[in-house]
Amino acid sequence: MLMFRPTIALQAYGVHVALIIAMIAPAVLLAMAQVDVCSAKLQAMFADAI
């Protein structure tokens, strides 16, 4: 029994990490997309100002 516990703990830890990454990844991608849109808008505004 003692030999199986570390592997179970590692599997559970891996599942938690995978879930956290799956939850964070879309938010990070959305944030990056929003930053790209904002930078594009800023560049367009500066181009108009110049």
Side-chain angles (χ1 to χ4, degrees), residues 3-4 7-8 11-12 21 23 25 28-29 31 34 36 38 41 43-47 49:
M3 291 181 69
F4 289 111
T7 55
I8 292 168
Q11 285 177 347
I21 290 170
M23 286 167 61
V28 171
L29 289 172
Q34 288 177 348
D36 286 341
C38 287
K41 285 181 181 176
Q43 287 176 359
M45 283 172 61
F46 281 122

Side-chain angles (χ1 to χ4, degrees), residues 6-25:
T7 55
I8 292 168
L10 280 172
Q11 285 177 347
Y13 179 73
V15 170
H16 282 293
V17 170
L19 282 171
I20 290 167
I21 290 170
M23 286 167 61
I24 291 171

